[in-house]
């Protein structure tokens, strides 16, 4: 009975996410139009989406980012940022995790989303993963962004995997790019996004969103032949941390049961 009663509240709360998304984009659209009109304004655009847009959505939904860092991102240095991908909120959480401006590499299908897609096309590097030419062009567009002193963010699972998948296989793109330009990879583990706001509609809840920023993986001296080992190393780091987070949760549950 209690489960049935909570569904209307979850439904309203889930709809509120899209209301926040739409309203903030509409309110900020005059500034977005100006700041996406030229690459030279990108730093200002990034500041706005990180400190206003992402904050409004995360805190407006009752999500509280808690970020633990094994290594600090250096101001003015370029990186390839990667993380596991389970939720639409991964975008906002990644913005909170990096103060250094970066550009998302994402699938072209997101450009079809009304209003959001208009600005997405103007600032992100879109890729059609079924098109070899499109995947090749990503490197050219990424090089221009890296030359501007920006970083690149790629979710290496290539999209949000099915709900039951713990951590999908990683694609090569992020690791080829990092090796090609000899820049560090910053692996991150997002612990709670699937639980907080997955693609299962009548699910989720407000609460903490934990992020673990791991020690960076250096690529200096590596060649494209090293991409597989680098990819597996990154996936192992994120996978082990996901298991560690799950073990902590199970321990907390068993501990609270003990004192009932």
């Amino acid at each position: 009975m209690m489960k049935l009663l909570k569904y209307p509240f979850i439904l309203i709360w889930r709809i509120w996410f899209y209301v926040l998304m739409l309203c903030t984009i509409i309110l900020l659209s005059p500034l977005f139009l100006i700041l996406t009109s030229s690459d030279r304004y990108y730093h200002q655009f990034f500041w706005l989406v990180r400190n206003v847009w992402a904050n409004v959505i995360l805190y407006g939904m009752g999500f509280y980012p808690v970020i633990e860092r094994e290594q600090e991102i250096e101001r003015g240095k370029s990186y390839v940022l990667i993380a596991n991908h389970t939720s639409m909120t991964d975008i906002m959480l990644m913005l909170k995790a990096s103060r250094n401006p970066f550009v998302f590499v994402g699938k072209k299908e997101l450009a079809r989303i009304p209003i959001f897609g208009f600005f997405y096309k103007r600032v992100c590097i879109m890729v059609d993963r079924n098109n070899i030419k499109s995947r090749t062009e990503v490197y050219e567009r990424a090089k221009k962004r890296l030359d501007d002193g920006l970083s690149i963010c790629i979710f290496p699972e290539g999209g949000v995997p099915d709900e039951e998948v713990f951590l999908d296989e990683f694609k090569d793109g992020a690791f080829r790019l990092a090796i090609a330009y000899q820049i560090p990879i910053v692996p991150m583990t997002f612990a709670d996004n699937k639980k907080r706001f997955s693609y299962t509609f009548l699910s989720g809840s407000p609460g903490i969103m934990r992020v673990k920023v791991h020690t960076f993986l250096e690529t200096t001296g590596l060649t494209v032949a090293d991409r597989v080992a680098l990819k597996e190393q990154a996936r192992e780091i994120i996978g082990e941390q996901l298991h560690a987070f799950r073990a902590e949760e199970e321990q907390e549950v068993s501990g609270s049961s003990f004192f009932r």
Side-chain angles (χ1 to χ4, degrees), residues 103-112 117 120-129 134-135 137-138 141:
V103 176
F104 284 105
V105 174
K107 54 188 179 182
K108 68 173 188 177
E109 289 79 5
L110 293 178
R112 299 173 187 164
Y120 173 81
K121 287 187 293 186
R122 291 164 74 98
V123 295
C124 295
I125 299 173
M126 293 187 297
V127 58
D128 179 354
R129 290 188 169 89
S134 175
R135 296 202 305 268
E137 288 174 349
V138 166
R141 294 195 292 272

Side-chain angles (χ1 to χ4, degrees), residues 20-252:
L20 279 175
M21 285 268 290
L22 181 63
C23 289
T24 50
I25 291 174
I26 290 174
L27 288 172
L28 293 171
S29 60
L31 286 172
F32 283 173
L33 282 169
I34 295 169
L35 298 178
T36 60
S37 65
S38 172
D39 288 347
R40 67 177 181 271
Y41 301 136
Y42 188 82
H43 283 72
Q44 290 78 14
F45 171 80
F46 181 85
W47 186 94
L48 189 64
V49 294
R50 181 180 187 271
N51 294 287
V52 179
W53 183 71
N55 278 342
V56 167
I57 295 170
L58 289 174
Y59 293 112
M61 290 296 292
F63 299 139
Y64 301 96
V66 176
I67 303 172
E68 178 187 350
R69 302 179 188 273
E70 292 183 344
Q71 187 172 347
E72 291 289 340
I73 293 173
E74 294 180 29
R75 186 182 295 275
K77 188 172 181 179
S78 295
Y79 302 88
V80 172
L81 312 175
I82 66 169
N84 54 307
H85 199 15
T86 58
S87 168
M88 286 182 283
T89 59
D90 295 341
I91 294 172
M92 300 82 180
L93 198 58
M94 182 63 79
L95 287 165
K96 295 301 296 177
S98 174
R99 296 182 186 88
N100 276 22
F102 63 83
V103 176
F104 284 105
V105 174
K107 54 188 179 182
K108 68 173 188 177
E109 289 79 5
L110 293 178
R112 299 173 187 164
I113 300 174
I115 303 177
F116 172 86
F118 174 78
F119 294 108
Y120 173 81
K121 287 187 293 186
R122 291 164 74 98
V123 295
C124 295
I125 299 173
M126 293 187 297
V127 58
D128 179 354
R129 290 188 169 89
N130 298 316
N131 186 309
I132 295 175
K133 182 181 178 183
S134 175
R135 296 202 305 268
T136 302
E137 288 174 349
V138 166
Y139 291 93
E140 297 172 8
R141 294 195 292 272
K143 182 181 186 304
K144 183 177 185 304
R145 295 301 201 172
L146 291 169
D147 288 343
D148 291 339
L150 302 175
S151 294
I152 302 293
C153 174
I154 302 177
F155 293 106
E157 290 168 282
V160 177
D162 292 337
E163 195 80 4
E164 67 275 7
V165 175
F166 183 72
L167 182 63
D168 212 347
E169 296 298 322
F170 283 4
K171 305 292 191 295
D172 282 357
F175 308 95
R176 284 182 175 272
L177 184 65
I179 290 171
Y181 297 106
Q182 299 285 284
I183 55 178
I185 291 174
V186 181
M188 302 186 197
T189 303
F190 293 171
D192 305 299
N193 292 21
K194 183 186 285 189
K195 176 173 63 178
R196 294 281 168 247
F197 202 84
S198 76
Y199 280 83
T200 299
F201 193 72
L202 288 176
S203 69
S205 66
I208 289 172
M209 283 182 161
R210 293 167 294 172
V211 181
K212 179 71 172 285
V213 180
H214 301 280
T215 302
F216 308 160
L217 302 179
E218 296 295 336
T219 61
T220 305
L222 298 185
T223 68
V224 70
D226 299 305
R227 74 189 185 284
V228 174
L230 185 64
K231 176 176 67 175
E232 291 307 314
Q233 183 184 4
R235 186 171 182 272
E236 183 178 353
I237 288 169
I238 293 173
E240 286 182 354
Q241 187 60 54
L242 284 173
H243 281 295
F245 279 134
R246 177 175 289 184
E248 287 177 13
E249 291 169 1
E250 291 173 352
Q251 189 174 12
E252 288 174 5

